[in-house]
Amino acid sequence: MTRGAGTTRPLVNLRHLLSPKPHDHGGAGTILAHRIFARGEGAGADFIDLAVLPPGTSIGRHRHGHDRETYVVLSGSGVMYRDGEAFRVEAGDVIPNEPFGEHGLSNDTDAELALLVFEVAAHEKEDTDGDPVR
């Protein structure tokens, strides 16, 4: 199958690109993930991942450094842990995880939970007094 008349680029379904990630950040079971976009390497790299959490799996509770990680739930539901608080999330929810904050996500249902993970370096700027501004 191709994208349209006159092109030879094949369609790619993200489902075929997902790779297993056992015990992601110390979580339960094996999630599936694919890096859709990346700019830079190592700490401070910006990226977008597609992650799929099968029933009973989780992204373990963890912290990042100077970066902002945002989860966008595409389908399914689960329990989000953020900075000592637990709450339900479902399709359409956007969950910002601030720099140095603790967060994790668990699929406690019998259906898959799919999300996009956006991570960008949090660059601090200084105001005119030299104090950090976010």
Side-chain angles (χ1 to χ4, degrees), residues 25-115:
H25 291 291
T30 299
I31 71 166
L32 304 169
H34 176 69
R35 181 132 307 157
I36 297 169
F37 167 83
R39 178 177 44 218
E41 293 181 26
D46 298 336
F47 65 80
I48 302 170
D49 284 352
L50 170 65
V52 176
L53 283 68
T57 64
S58 67
I59 298 171
R61 295 180 196 189
H62 63 285
R63 293 179 189 272
H64 295 272
H66 283 286
D67 53 12
R68 216 170 246 107
E69 188 173 66
T70 301
Y71 292 176
V72 178
V73 181
L74 301 174
S75 64
S77 65
V79 178
M80 182 75 198
Y81 300 95
R82 187 177 62 186
D83 297 324
E85 207 182 335
F87 51 94
R88 281 214 78 71
V89 295
E90 61 185 23
D93 287 343
V94 177
I95 307 103
N97 300 299
E98 295 299 323
F100 302 101
E102 182 184 40
H103 54 279
L105 179 62
S106 176
N107 182 353
D108 64 347
T109 72
D110 59 359
E112 286 185 340
L113 187 163
L115 69 149

